[in-house]
Amino acid sequence: MTATIPNLPSLYDPFSTEAKWQKFWEDNQVYKADPNQGGEPYCIVIPPPNVTGSLHMGHAFESALIDTLVRYHRMQGRNTLWLPGTDHASIAVHSMLEKQLKKEGKTRYELGREKFLERAWQWKAESEGTILNQLRRLGVSVDWSRERFTLDEGLSKAVVEAFTRLYEEGLIYRGEYLVNWCPASQSAVSDVEVENQEVNGNLWHFRYPLTDGSGFVEVATTRPETMLGDTAVAVNPNDDRYKHLIGKTLTLPILQREIPIIGDEFVDPTFGTGCVKVTPAHDPNDFDMGKRHNLPLINIMNKDGTLNANAGEFQGQDRFVARKNVVSRLEADGFLVKIEDYKHTVPYSDRGKVPIEPLLSTQWFVKIRPLADNTLEFLDQQTSPEFVPQRWTKVYRDWLVKLKDWCISRQLWWGHQIPAWYAISETGGQITDNTPFVVAKSEAEAWDKAKSQFGENVKLEQDPDVLDTWFSSGLWPFSTLGWPEQTQDLATYYPTTTLVTGFDIIFFWVARMTMMAGHFTQQMPFQTVYIHGLVLDEKGQKMSKTKGNGIDPLLLIDKYGTDALRYTLIREVAGAGQDIRLEYDRKKDESASVEASRNFANKLWNAARFVMMNLDGQTPQQLGNPVATELSDRWIISRYHQVVKQTSNYIDNYGLGEAAKGLYEFIWGDFCDQYIELVKSRLQADADPISRRVAQQTLGYILEGILKLLHPLMPHITEEIWQTLTQQPADSPQTLPLQIYPKVDANLIDPALEEQFELLIATIRTIRNLRAEADIKPGVKVTANLQTESEKEREILTAGQSYIKDLAKVETLTITDKEKSQTVAAKKKPQRGLKIIGLTLVAIVFGRLGLAAGNAIDDIPIVGTFFELVGFGYTAWFVSQNLLTAQARVRLWGRFFPQRELEQPQEPENAIAGVIGTIQVLIPLSGVVDIEVVRAKLEKSLSKAEAEVQSLSTRLNNPSFVDRARPDVVQGAREALAEAQKQAEILRVRLKALP
């Protein structure tokens, strides 16, 4: 029984289609992983987006890359898990909530910790819902049943386990250390929370007198107030100007403290005066020097940014007020040498938006060296993990080598509260730097430990600080799979296969994951780290909130569809790890590149409609695989398997952009523009039934293969077409994401055939271009002469001449030897003269022979009269057969002077010509177009283009316009000029090509 002919709507609607399949995939748990399924595991954990708002274009790019990999490997038959989740983003959420409270005239302390956290959880629920819905809009093939959050019960248990283990192993300690301090929020901040800003400041030069009265040294600083905490002045030990002073002492101005002059190779002799003031408690480099030289650490600053008692007369002053007052005092005392304007970089707190203050503070730290050294062993001995691109390996390694102890405590409330309880009964009911504490996995365990140490009357208070967000994120690859429990998920999917992330968090996240995993699981958490680039705006600039040049991915999805955006982002990748530039018109909120991808989707849709309308209601499975005999069938099947091989190789090696481009060229060019056009005549009802059947089989076979190849990049449209093509039952359909990815059949790849067919396609394309240039109407068939010296090329063209005639609309096709044709053309006029002279001589000779014979025979009675009659008759016959027509004269000439060149057709004098490699294409125009009309049309267009070039050039050569107009207007004019110049050049070439 013949199946009902499947039907696709005439127009593709991405919005209803995408929503339908996103719901279907999730409702049917298509992507639910099963550790009991067997098969080689493939696992990716999502880089968890922060619950701070909505996704940006970087998230869309990263999700598209990951989903392509995951869908590809799932179709390869691997046991695949993409695990989703979000990060609590303690700093960002905390900052946002404090801003809300400030608008209400409140502080978090007035609200209280419990109420503050209620607000935070409420925000998380709202924001996370927005983010997860956006991920769904992107069509990500994640296992939603395994969704995690860094503050959920399971991950919180993992955090406590990791902290207590590290503490018990002596790898976590509480101590005084120099941290990035934000006076505005009064919290330590990590390096990632610091934003360096270039500012116009000053460089102050001061004299510090030698204690023995023999002179002074001059120092320069950008932070004069910190001199109150100086404990030394350093010079380079190789600096001839000062090395004799090493070991002497100076008297610190204002405070009159005696401080040493030390030699340290860290000092740059070329900076400033070559003498550096050393303030170990307020500068990270000075802190390191202080440790090397056993210098005292004098903290002059309170946590709110005011100066403390160590600052003497400046106590209580804000740091910036104190700066002015210290400079005034030094000037008054005669120690100020000069003040220079100085542009330099100042670190700002991303949260408090004020300059950070390096500050000695009692915090919790991870002793990083043992963890980093263990991770370096994995890298150096096992090349684990492997970075793509490989160049990032060195960056990662250098960071591991240079790592210092990691400050993991934050003076915030939103996050994992540090599992340490202080025995405040031992220090007057307050938590001080010296209050004893216990570390425990729970409050009950803490009480048990504390009572055994401090007695039954002990009073406990948990550390109010929370852990750095990166601490919990560092456990993400294995905590999300159930660690510290030995779950089946952990046994099956860990270590994960690939991490896809940006280069900007290699240190902050990647290195911390590898260190934590190496320590707790004795394995690297992933086999490969694929580092992608950034999505740049239309001007090639990094998108940022500060610049306001971000592009909302949902805006483009609403306009063009998810598949179009996903495909664009991947196709733009020129190589692994490269940044991509997204075309975007901000005035219209349009993107030409995403629109092109939508057009690609429409092209595929229309091709699929055509194919299905010509399969007589049969599925590819019912038709069966083709056994190709015709040239075009063998060619498209060979090209298909070549593309299967190429695409798999690209994706296996993270060449996702190259894979996308290759599929585009094959689907749009080879399949839609070439093969479908080639087989149209074979699909007619009156066509040869065997040929028609093979054409149908080939169309169905290639189309289904295309849908599978393209599915990882454009999942929605491929699912929709595949469901219709394969006529899946509505009640229990199979689904394309779970089908097997196409396999290469090397026996069906014929490179020689593909090369030959490329020549045919190039020839067809050239004829079409020549038709367009000559303005030949589409319905008019032409005569074409193909000339080439290569016998092989002539054979190829001859074998494919039916394709050339069909697709290029050629009625008469001649394929000739180019060299001989040129010889004929060169000898055309001289040979014509030779023909006339030669034929005249023949006529004279025959005439003389006739006269001589006649004179001799005339002397014989009766016979003479007979031969006169015969001679007259023969002469009449000879002239009629050999001299009256051009063809007869050529034939007669050839009997005496055989020349093969005369058999070659002559090159038309009124023709348009084109070249493909060594093939020349000639199309006679006489009787086909009015050349003068075409010439006039082209000349009119050229005049218009040249006028545009002149007008734009005049504007751009006008300094007033260039200097006063908006930059985007000037850039627009430059682009318009380049386009007009290009158009004018094309028109000149077309005019020149006319005969």
Side-chain angles (χ1 to χ4, degrees):
M1 180 178 178
T2 304
T4 303
I5 295 178
N7 180 40
L8 285 174
S10 58
L11 296 175
Y12 174 55
D13 176 12
F15 312 108
S16 61
T17 298
E18 290 168 358
K20 175 177 72 175
W21 289 114
Q22 287 160 8
K23 184 176 188 303
F24 175 87
W25 293 328
E26 187 170 346
D27 288 350
N28 290 274
Q29 294 189 315
V30 170
Y31 308 124
K32 184 175 176 61
D34 181 4
N36 298 311
Q37 176 182 316
E40 182 183 1
Y42 184 87
C43 179
I44 289 182
V45 290
I46 194 171
N50 294 336
V51 286
T52 52
S54 60
L55 300 183
H56 52 67
M57 192 59 73
H59 290 116
F61 179 43
E62 188 170 79
S63 295
L65 292 170
I66 297 174
D67 199 45
T68 298
L69 291 171
V70 170
R71 288 181 182 274
Y72 168 78
H73 285 285
R74 184 183 290 113
M75 295 180 75
Q76 291 284 358
R78 300 182 71 175
N79 188 344
T80 304
L81 167 62
W82 183 9
L83 192 148
T86 49
D87 189 281
H88 63 280
S90 62
I91 293 167
V93 171
H94 198 102
S95 175
M96 184 212 59
L97 291 177
E98 285 197 316
K99 287 178 181 177
Q100 289 181 358
L101 289 171
K102 187 176 182 180
K103 289 180 180 179
E104 298 171 13
K106 302 176 183 177
T107 69
R108 61 168 161 142
Y109 301 103
E110 293 170 345
L111 191 65
R113 186 168 193 140
E114 185 177 345
K115 293 294 184 182
F116 182 86
L117 291 178
E118 285 180 7
R119 279 200 176 203
W121 280 103
Q122 182 181 354
W123 167 262
K124 177 263 180 186
E126 296 171 357
S127 180
E128 184 180 54
T130 300
I131 290 170
L132 297 181
N133 285 332
Q134 289 174 326
L135 284 173
R136 287 178 169 91
R137 287 288 306 276
L138 290 169
V140 295
S141 59
V142 300
D143 182 351
W144 290 109
S145 70
R146 285 174 165 82
E147 178 192 337
R148 305 306 299 267
F149 175 56
T150 47
L151 284 180
D152 69 27
E153 184 179 352
L155 269 65
S156 295
K157 180 180 178 181
V159 167
V160 171
E161 179 72 21
F163 186 97
T164 54
R165 281 198 202 179
L166 290 171
Y167 177 76
E168 290 166 359
E169 294 166 359
L171 296 176
I172 281 183
Y173 64 93
R174 186 171 183 254
E176 193 177 48
Y177 208 80
L178 202 66
V179 297
N180 297 319
W181 186 262
C182 173
S185 60
Q186 295 193 37
S187 172
V189 294
S190 67
D191 292 337
V192 76
E193 302 156 48
V194 174
E195 180 182 355
N196 289 316
Q197 298 181 18
E198 191 172 62
V199 300
N200 292 316
N202 296 107
L203 190 64
W204 286 270
H205 290 250
F206 303 124
R207 292 189 184 98
Y208 283 12
L210 288 159
T211 305
D212 61 9
S214 61
F216 59 86
V217 297
E218 184 178 323
V219 300
T221 180
T222 59
R223 300 160 66 210
E225 71 281 5
T226 62
M227 61 85 61
L228 301 170
D230 285 357
T231 56
V233 167
V235 297
N236 191 297
N238 300 313
D239 192 334
D240 292 335
R241 294 174 297 173
Y242 304 117
K243 61 184 179 182
H244 66 284
L245 296 177
I246 296 173
K248 290 191 174 186
T249 62
L250 301 163
T251 300
L252 184 67
I254 300 178
L255 295 180
Q256 301 300 305
R257 186 165 60 240
E258 190 172 349
I259 60 176
I261 298 175
I262 62 174
D264 196 294
E265 291 188 352
F266 173 79
V267 178
D268 180 2
T270 65
F271 176 76
T273 63
C275 296
V276 177
K277 58 188 287 297
V278 183
T279 319
H282 293 282
D283 183 276
N285 295 320
D286 292 2
F287 181 81
D288 291 338
M289 272 198 285
K291 286 199 297 184
R292 287 195 293 271
H293 298 276
N294 296 315
L295 299 176
L297 284 72
I298 301 176
N299 177 23
I300 64 165
M301 199 163 296
N302 297 313
K303 291 184 177 180
D304 63 357
T306 61
L307 272 57
N308 62 24
N310 290 329
E313 65 187 79
F314 305 100
Q315 180 181 358
Q317 296 181 8
D318 177 81
R319 53 182 171 158
F320 298 116
V321 173
R323 176 175 297 177
K324 295 179 182 178
N325 293 335
V326 166
V327 171
S328 296
R329 172 66 186 276
L330 290 170
E331 184 177 19
D333 291 349
F335 295 113
L336 177 64
V337 178
K338 62 180 177 179
I339 303 174
E340 295 178 327
D341 291 334
Y342 186 61
K343 180 176 286 189
H344 62 121
T345 299
V346 174
Y348 274 71
S349 167
D350 185 55
R351 184 148 50 89
K353 307 302 180 186
V354 298
I356 64 105
E357 193 67 44
L359 186 70
L360 272 178
S361 176
T362 300
Q363 303 284 345
W364 289 91
F365 295 89
V366 172
K367 193 177 292 183
I368 212 69
R369 206 60 266 148
L371 302 181
D373 290 343
N374 182 42
T375 306
L376 282 167
E377 286 186 20
F378 279 99
L379 183 66
D380 294 340
Q381 297 178 15
Q382 302 176 31
T383 317
S384 179
E386 181 180 355
F387 279 80
V388 178
Q390 198 274 335
R391 67 177 181 273
W392 289 108
T393 304
K394 184 179 185 305
V395 176
Y396 166 74
R397 191 183 193 286
D398 288 347
W399 273 333
L400 286 174
V401 169
K402 298 174 183 177
L403 280 178
K404 300 175 182 178
D405 285 0
W406 171 18
C407 176
I408 57 173
S409 48
R410 297 290 179 268
Q411 287 65 55
L412 307 171
W413 288 349
W414 173 244
H416 294 100
Q417 194 168 352
I418 292 173
W421 282 261
Y422 295 92
I424 58 174
S425 53
E426 304 300 305
T427 52
Q430 299 291 325
I431 297 176
T432 70
D433 290 349
N434 300 314
T435 304
F437 59 86
V438 294
V439 170
K441 295 180 182 179
S442 66
E443 186 174 0
E445 182 182 334
W447 276 107
D448 290 341
K449 286 184 175 182
K451 286 178 181 179
S452 66
Q453 292 183 45
F454 308 108
E456 290 292 327
N457 296 323
V458 66
K459 292 183 180 180
L460 292 182
E461 184 177 328
Q462 188 174 358
D463 194 313
D465 292 350
V466 299
L467 288 168
D468 179 12
T469 304
W470 296 111
F471 190 91
S472 57
S473 297
L475 308 174
W476 184 255
F478 48 98
S479 64
T480 53
L481 295 172
W483 185 90
E485 304 298 327
Q486 294 303 307
T487 64
Q488 197 167 2
D489 274 4
L490 190 66
T492 303
Y493 299 111
Y494 186 83
T496 66
T497 314
T498 305
L499 173 71
V500 179
T501 191
F503 63 84
D504 51 337
I505 56 174
I506 290 178
F507 167 64
F508 301 115
W509 190 41
V510 179
R512 283 166 179 165
M513 284 190 287
T514 56
M515 288 188 292
M516 291 290 208
H519 184 75
F520 289 117
T521 73
Q522 290 74 55
Q523 299 180 82
M524 287 296 94
F526 20 73
Q527 298 167 19
T528 304
V529 181
Y530 171 46
I531 300 295
H532 61 72
L534 302 174
V535 183
L536 306 178
D537 71 4
E538 66 278 12
K539 297 179 181 179
Q541 297 179 347
K542 180 180 177 181
M543 296 185 195
S544 71
K545 292 181 181 178
T546 305
K547 294 179 181 178
N549 63 337
I551 302 172
D552 184 355
L554 292 183
L555 189 152
L556 294 178
I557 287 175
D558 289 339
K559 188 177 290 286
Y560 302 109
T562 296
D563 282 351
L565 177 62
R566 285 172 53 125
Y567 181 79
T568 301
L569 293 172
I570 296 173
R571 187 173 185 263
E572 291 299 315
V573 180
Q578 296 300 307
D579 294 341
I580 68 171
R581 178 174 174 174
L582 185 63
E583 291 183 70
Y584 190 63
D585 185 333
R586 293 187 180 274
K587 293 181 180 178
K588 299 180 181 178
D589 285 330
E590 294 176 350
S591 170
S593 54
V594 183
E595 183 177 3
S597 295
R598 184 197 62 187
N599 295 341
F600 176 47
N602 290 337
K603 183 81 170 181
L604 175 62
W605 182 265
N606 292 330
R609 289 186 72 243
F610 173 83
V611 170
M612 283 185 267
M613 285 190 294
N614 285 280
L615 297 186
D616 297 334
Q618 298 180 83
T619 67
Q621 289 70 31
Q622 292 167 339
L623 287 165
N625 290 343
V627 179
T629 55
E630 295 200 23
L631 186 66
S632 61
D633 300 332
R634 290 192 293 114
W635 165 73
I636 195 65
I637 290 173
S638 177
R639 284 288 303 124
Y640 166 72
H641 281 279
Q642 194 76 266
V643 169
V644 171
K645 178 181 178 182
Q646 169 187 292
T647 305
S648 295
N649 286 341
Y650 276 137
I651 298 179
D652 286 339
N653 293 285
Y654 299 95
L656 304 187
E658 292 85 348
K661 295 181 187 74
L663 287 172
Y664 180 95
E665 292 166 1
F666 173 71
I667 295 169
W668 191 301
D670 295 341
F671 184 65
C672 296
D673 283 357
Q674 305 302 334
Y675 183 72
I676 286 180
E677 294 300 319
L678 287 170
V679 298
K680 280 183 176 179
S681 60
R682 294 166 57 193
L683 297 172
Q684 302 301 314
D686 57 351
D688 176 73
I690 296 177
S691 176
R692 185 172 186 270
R693 178 76 176 182
V694 173
Q696 290 175 321
Q697 290 174 327
T698 306
L699 284 169
Y701 174 76
I702 299 297
L703 177 58
E704 184 173 16
I706 282 172
L707 297 174
K708 292 177 179 178
L709 288 171
L710 190 60
H711 177 75
L713 295 113
M714 304 180 81
H716 305 90
I717 187 173
T718 51
E719 177 78 280
E720 179 74 9
I721 296 173
W722 185 83
Q723 291 284 334
T724 309
L725 176 67
T726 58
Q727 300 178 39
Q728 294 297 315
D731 54 345
S732 59
Q734 296 184 48
T735 183
L736 182 55
L738 301 183
Q739 301 307 300
I740 298 299
Y741 202 76
K743 304 295 183 185
V744 179
D745 187 340
N747 295 323
L748 296 176
I749 297 178
D750 188 341
L753 173 63
E754 291 183 36
E755 184 179 352
Q756 294 170 17
F757 221 86
E758 282 302 314
L759 181 65
L760 293 176
I761 291 172
T763 302
I764 292 167
R765 188 182 300 116
T766 300
I767 295 175
R768 285 174 167 176
N769 290 341
L770 290 175
R771 290 176 61 103
E773 288 179 16
D775 205 19
I776 299 173
K777 295 180 179 178
V780 175
K781 290 194 172 184
V782 299
T783 296
N785 180 11
L786 308 180
Q787 299 178 357
T788 175
E789 300 172 7
S790 169
E791 183 177 351
K792 180 182 178 182
E793 287 181 343
R794 290 198 298 274
E795 291 174 355
I796 294 170
L797 295 172
T798 300
Q801 59 184 321
S802 62
Y803 301 134
I804 298 173
K805 287 183 175 182
D806 284 348
L807 296 189
K809 291 187 172 59
V810 174
E811 185 167 12
T812 303
L813 181 66
T814 307
I815 302 167
T816 61
D817 186 324
K818 182 179 181 181
E819 183 179 5
K820 293 180 178 178
S821 296
Q822 290 173 340
T823 302
V824 171
K827 295 180 178 180
K828 183 175 180 182
K829 292 181 180 179
Q831 285 178 343
R832 186 176 181 185
L834 288 172
K835 289 178 186 177
I836 295 170
I837 295 170
L839 290 171
T840 302
L841 289 174
V842 169
I844 292 170
V845 169
F846 273 92
R848 295 291 294 177
L849 289 172
L851 287 173
N855 291 333
I857 294 172
D858 280 347
D859 296 334
I860 303 174
I862 302 175
V863 176
T865 302
F866 173 78
F867 272 99
E868 283 180 2
L869 294 172
V870 172
F872 179 80
Y874 178 81
T875 301
W877 175 84
F878 180 89
V879 170
S880 66
Q881 292 296 312
N882 296 290
L883 299 178
L884 287 180
T885 65
Q887 292 88 343
R889 291 192 296 272
V890 169
R891 187 167 57 250
L892 175 63
W893 179 261
R895 290 176 186 172
F896 294 95
F897 306 96
Q899 292 188 36
R900 291 183 60 192
E901 287 82 358
L902 293 177
E903 298 171 5
Q904 305 297 330
Q906 303 303 304
E907 179 177 322
E909 294 180 0
N910 193 10
I912 191 169
V915 176
I916 321 108
T918 62
I919 300 172
Q920 185 175 26
V921 180
L922 297 167
I923 298 178
L925 298 181
S926 296
V928 179
V929 296
D930 188 330
I931 295 174
E932 293 310 313
V933 171
V934 175
R935 192 187 310 279
K937 182 178 177 181
L938 292 176
E939 287 174 344
K940 182 178 179 181
S941 298
L942 177 59
S943 296
K944 184 178 178 181
E946 288 176 337
E948 181 75 2
V949 169
Q950 179 62 37
S951 173
L952 290 167
S953 297
T954 301
R955 289 181 71 191
L956 290 168
N957 288 330
N958 182 354
S960 178
F961 168 73
V962 174
D963 295 339
R964 295 179 183 178
R966 293 199 319 269
D968 60 319
V969 173
V970 176
Q971 181 61 29
R974 290 194 178 108
E975 292 173 357
L977 174 61
E979 182 63 30
Q981 290 171 331
K982 181 179 178 182
Q983 185 63 28
E985 183 58 31
I986 291 172
L987 291 167
R988 291 188 194 99
V989 171
R990 290 183 63 182
L991 273 168
K992 188 176 180 181
L994 287 178

